[in-house]
Amino acid sequence: MVRYSAWSLLLLLLFVTGVPGVAQKTGSRKFSTYSKQISADLFGIFFEDISYAADGGLYAELVQNRSFEYSATDRKEWHPFTAWEYMTKGYGYGSISVETESPLHANNPHYAVLTIEDPGQEGIGLVNYGFDGIVLKAGEQYNFSIFAKKLSEQPVSLSIQLRNKKGAIFSEAVLDVNGRQWQKYTTSLTATENYDTATIAVISRSKGKVAMDMISLFPQKTFKGRTNGLRADLAQAIADLKPKFMRFPGGCLVHGDGLGNMYRWKNTIGPIEQRTAQKNIWNYHQTAGLGYYEYFQFCEDIGAKPLPVVPAAVSCQNSGGTWRIGGTGQKGLPMNEMQEYIQEVLDLIEYANGSVTSEWGAKRAEAGHPEPFHLEYVGVGNEDKITPEFSERFQLIYNAVKAKYPGIIVIGTVGPAPEGEDFDLGWKLANELNIPVVDEHYYQPPQWFLNNHFRYDSYDRTKSKVYLGEYASRGNTLFNALAEAAYMISLERNGDVVHMASYAPLLANQSHTSWNPNLVYFTNTSVTPTVNYYVQQLFSLNQGDIYYSGIVSFGDRSGVKDSNLAASCVKDKKTGNVIIKIVNAGSVTVNAELNISVFGKLSPIAELQVLSGEPGMKNTLQDPVKVIPEISALQVKKKVVYKVPSYSLNIIRIRARK
Ligand code: AHR
């Protein structure tokens, strides 16, 4: 979202007539510049299923615990009927149980068995409360599906009901379960009004016994209408970032809480009823409904290069403990399992890029995507402790990928902090192995980002490139966002050594946050992009591939801290547009002198986007658009002075003139 200022209507006029804005001509100054090629994949996103980002978030499934797989290993108070209620309202009686004897699939071992002795006046069955209630929109269609088999002689008729908060039924369909084998039954239901806290009930009004599993309800309107798709408003907020790449599925989620909890991509593809759900390292349940196929598809849908991260065959060093504290320590896969594991990584590349006649390419085609997903990057490991066990396993995986797929860029890992033992050992390993790119992570106070502008200026350009895979300034105020913006300017300046960068984490369900801050907060009915989101978006939408030094200089700086000011200038080769970014994270307006005489013919009217306000301002659920970019026009000459407001990020896009 951008806010058009009161001048918005004038904007069009300005482009046409060239009425002056706030820029002025500079006096003559000595001017020198150099240009360099920078990464065209610089700004992307990092998606992890943390804070209910996937199940209960981006993944559009409305039924919680659809396959009765929740258990006390997810969370100690959970069980197979979490989010479900057994309903015997109209004096019916019978029983409900969870069974494992003849499941739908070995990967999906639990299912519910409903025995109806007497259906009473209203029938008996199960009600699901969704993720804190089911949100339905008036007039929209919802796809229901269930796997069921009758366990009694007589068929069992199931009534599928959408109910409001008080239990009143407003939409109903009937499915007759008449087979003795598991079979998928489907129907669709329409919402008559808007409901924030609806429920779905599966009720039988006839005597009998029935087994039920994978009880699912999806809006028909998912992002791009995909089946097993994504929540449209959240996916759109991500798409609006226009990221150059998307890293998934984590984060700590990747290396998992113990070896058995590592994120194994093969468990997350194929029919959803055959995928292996498991405990999420962030203490809830992941269905894997949003799995590798869906991730690749989403990347394609939003024009982002996929960047999957696979475990480096070791578990999280904090497994069994709380985050970064205690635990059983890192464990490595036994060496006699490594060959199989390495093959799993190679198979992922084949799944993404292989021809339809290859084993794994065929599975991609079967899922509906015969064309390759054009995978270029694979991350191996996440913030792992750099132990001999890690290094040995990493090296085996790295060498195998390099040998079979020399075109794939492997991204290594250098620990969870901007310095320290793992950082040093990770870099040492990177230098020894010539790893093309390594993944740095840091979460620091805003002042750290302002003070560390120059971090990458001295990085050796002949060594591994950097993927700054996770960073955030520990807050969602405008000041936090400006500190990140100033830092992103330094990433552009160093775009010859920093190849990629992504803020973390991306999404958080406001009622289930495992981590703060995040880029976008959401509830079942709302999406709140933070100020940090707008910074990411402004940088992402205004990327270039050639960096020019010396285009912006700051004039009188009396009373202004240098670390509060940052500026960059990039050009987008394709359009010829020149883009200047200026941050002022201090309380005093500053003059910036722009000298664009080095460029060819440019439009005299630039587009100016400004994000500014008081440093403590935030976007909240109550006031989601408190700080958003304002757009206006700015007249530019070869040399001009631009007054940089206090606490602001300013993007000046000057179009090339043909
Ligand atoms: O982004 C949240 C967590 O922070 C990630 O899972 C982990 O990689 C990092 O420590």
Side-chain angles (χ1 to χ4, degrees):
M1 177 184 285
V2 272
R3 185 179 280 146
Y4 289 84
S5 66
W7 298 87
S8 61
L9 283 176
L10 200 58
L11 176 69
L12 279 175
L13 196 64
L14 287 169
F15 274 104
V16 178
T17 59
V19 175
V22 292
Q24 307 152 18
K25 251 190 179 169
T26 59
S28 58
R29 269 172 171 267
K30 207 160 167 257
F31 172 65
S32 74
T33 182
Y34 70 86
S35 67
K36 63 179 172 185
Q37 194 83 32
I38 59 169
S39 168
D41 289 342
L42 192 52
F43 298 123
I45 54 172
F46 159 67
F47 180 89
E48 176 169 22
D49 186 5
I50 182 172
S51 305
Y52 281 53
D55 291 296
L58 185 59
Y59 184 49
E61 173 63 84
L62 294 167
V63 174
Q64 184 173 188
N65 190 14
R66 65 184 175 192
S67 59
F68 307 100
E69 299 299 329
Y70 276 29
S71 79
T73 50
D74 299 322
R75 198 174 277 181
K76 65 178 182 318
E77 66 277 19
W78 280 5
H79 50 78
F81 286 118
T82 294
W84 293 97
E85 190 188 334
Y86 176 44
M87 232 191 58
T88 56
K89 224 171 137 204
Y91 307 108
Y93 69 90
S95 65
I96 188 82
S97 59
V98 64
E99 315 250 330
T100 53
E101 219 163 80
S102 60
L104 178 53
H105 192 273
N107 294 341
N108 181 5
H110 299 90
Y111 57 94
V113 171
L114 176 68
T115 307
I116 313 106
E117 307 280 1
D118 178 350
Q121 291 153 10
E122 295 186 28
I124 66 173
L126 284 172
V127 178
N128 189 275
Y129 291 90
F131 293 89
D132 309 321
I134 293 176
V135 172
L136 302 170
K137 294 194 186 120
E140 292 194 3
Q141 300 263 107
Y142 293 84
N143 293 338
F144 174 86
S145 61
I146 184 173
F147 280 83
K149 60 180 173 181
K150 67 172 187 174
L151 301 174
S152 50
E153 263 318 305
Q154 69 272 38
V156 176
S157 175
L158 293 177
S159 169
I160 316 305
Q161 306 164 351
L162 294 178
R163 297 170 168 232
N164 69 14
K165 202 161 50 185
K166 292 187 178 148
I169 301 166
F170 57 83
S171 185
E172 187 167 11
V174 173
L175 297 169
D176 290 323
V177 180
N178 38 32
R180 287 193 175 276
Q181 303 303 323
W182 285 111
Q183 197 183 315
K184 188 174 183 180
Y185 297 86
T186 61
T187 186
S188 79
L189 298 151
T190 308
T192 45
E193 290 173 33
N194 285 332
Y195 298 96
D196 287 357
T197 48
T199 60
I200 183 156
V202 180
I203 300 290
S204 178
R205 292 198 182 100
S206 57
K207 281 190 180 182
K209 191 171 179 181
V210 63
M212 305 183 288
D213 204 355
M214 290 303 286
I215 302 177
S216 167
L217 184 71
F218 263 89
Q220 279 186 4
K221 284 196 180 158
T222 55
F223 185 65
K224 304 238 179 225
R226 303 257 172 236
T227 43
N228 193 41
L230 305 181
R231 191 177 131 176
D233 55 352
L234 273 177
Q236 192 57 53
I238 298 173
D240 290 345
L241 285 168
K242 296 248 168 15
K244 295 286 190 206
F245 66 88
M246 174 166 127
R247 167 174 161 211
F248 57 88
C252 288
L253 185 92
V254 167
H255 54 184
D257 192 4
L259 279 181
N261 190 243
M262 290 191 318
Y263 197 99
R264 309 291 288 260
W265 75 271
K266 286 185 183 175
N267 290 340
T268 73
I269 59 161
I272 54 172
E273 67 278 8
Q274 296 179 14
R275 298 184 187 178
T276 310
Q278 67 169 347
K279 175 193 151 98
N280 177 309
I281 197 171
W282 300 106
N283 292 320
Y284 56 96
H285 185 86
Q286 60 196 6
T287 59
L290 170 51
Y292 257 71
Y293 179 79
E294 291 75 21
Y295 280 123
F296 279 128
Q297 181 64 72
F298 184 50
C299 287
E300 185 177 90
D301 284 343
I302 64 174
K305 292 184 181 177
L307 195 180
V309 181
V310 295
V314 295
S315 63
C316 178
Q317 54 269 27
N318 308 309
S319 296
T322 49
W323 188 75
R324 286 188 189 164
I325 305 165
T328 52
Q330 182 189 72
K331 296 269 185 300
L333 274 185
M335 288 314 277
N336 61 8
E337 290 178 27
M338 276 309 289
Q339 216 32 60
E340 200 186 328
Y341 183 71
I342 289 166
Q343 192 55 50
E344 184 175 318
V345 177
L346 298 176
D347 290 345
L348 172 62
I349 300 167
E350 185 175 289
Y351 182 74
N353 292 352
S355 82
V356 294
T357 55
S358 65
E359 182 187 352
W360 290 94
K363 292 194 197 296
R364 182 193 68 239
E366 202 183 307
H369 203 285
E371 302 79 27
F373 281 122
H374 307 293
L375 182 66
E376 292 177 25
Y377 300 107
V378 174
V380 179
N382 174 73
E383 290 191 359
D384 299 289
K385 187 133 201 65
I386 313 295
T387 57
E389 290 73 25
F390 164 84
S391 303
E392 187 180 13
R393 286 162 181 77
F394 178 90
Q395 200 163 334
L396 289 171
I397 301 166
Y398 174 62
N399 287 341
V401 173
K402 230 172 42 157
K404 180 144 190 210
Y405 296 106
I408 291 286
I409 298 172
V410 173
I411 302 179
T413 179
V414 295
E419 64 208 351
E421 191 182 60
D422 292 320
F423 183 82
D424 294 341
L425 290 174
W427 266 102
K428 187 165 171 282
L429 185 69
N431 293 336
E432 279 161 19
L433 301 182
N434 277 323
I435 303 173
V437 183
V438 295
D439 181 12
E440 294 192 356
H441 292 180
Y442 33 88
Y443 298 90
Q444 297 288 334
Q447 201 55 51
W448 184 94
F449 284 91
L450 293 173
N451 293 344
N452 282 276
H453 275 203
F454 302 110
R455 177 181 177 90
Y456 295 112
D457 292 356
S458 55
Y459 266 47
D460 186 339
R461 267 56 185 167
T462 63
K463 301 242 165 96
S464 308
K465 305 272 181 254
V466 174
Y467 165 37
L468 175 52
E470 294 184 25
Y471 69 97
S473 74
R474 294 199 187 140
N476 290 122
T477 66
L478 174 64
F479 186 66
N480 290 98
L482 291 177
E484 288 154 11
Y487 203 74
M488 290 171 86
I489 280 178
S490 82
L491 301 181
E492 280 193 328
R493 183 173 70 244
N494 288 287
D496 52 337
V497 68
V498 180
H499 191 67
M500 307 161 107
S502 48
Y503 180 100
L506 180 62
L507 295 186
N509 183 321
Q510 219 146 307
S511 313
H512 300 279
T513 43
S514 345
W515 183 281
N516 280 301
N518 300 281
L519 204 60
V520 176
Y521 287 86
F522 63 90
T523 65
N524 282 349
T525 51
S526 67
V527 178
T528 309
T530 58
V531 191
N532 319 63
Y533 170 95
Y534 289 108
V535 164
Q536 293 294 320
Q537 189 182 44
L538 285 170
F539 274 78
S540 188
L541 297 182
N542 291 290
Q543 297 191 52
D545 37 24
I546 309 175
Y547 175 84
Y548 288 83
S549 76
I551 301 298
V552 182
S553 52
F554 294 103
D556 176 17
R557 296 166 181 230
S558 39
V560 179
K561 272 212 277 181
D562 273 359
S563 59
N564 284 340
L565 298 175
S568 68
C569 175
V570 293
K571 184 163 140 183
D572 174 26
K573 253 194 301 203
K574 210 154 64 195
T575 59
N577 291 349
V578 171
I579 305 145
I580 293 171
K581 303 183 181 77
I582 311 174
V583 170
N584 179 0
S587 57
V588 183
T589 303
V590 172
N591 282 348
E593 295 173 11
L594 321 184
N595 186 338
I596 51 171
S597 54
V598 67
F599 300 107
K601 277 193 175 169
L602 294 175
S603 161
I605 304 296
E607 182 188 279
L608 172 67
Q609 296 207 60
V610 180
L611 192 68
S612 66
E614 291 305 315
M617 282 178 167
K618 280 179 171 191
N619 292 337
T620 58
L621 184 59
Q622 292 69 31
D623 193 353
V625 291
K626 189 148 189 95
V627 191
I628 58 171
E630 302 240 2
I631 189 164
S632 61
L634 176 74
Q635 190 181 39
V636 284
K637 304 249 165 64
K638 292 285 174 203
K639 291 179 186 174
V640 291
V641 170
Y642 174 72
K643 284 193 182 313
V644 193
S646 59
Y647 300 115
S648 66
L649 163 64
N650 308 262
I651 311 278
I652 301 167
R653 177 182 276 270
I654 314 164
R655 293 184 196 279
R657 263 208 307 204
K658 305 246 157 66

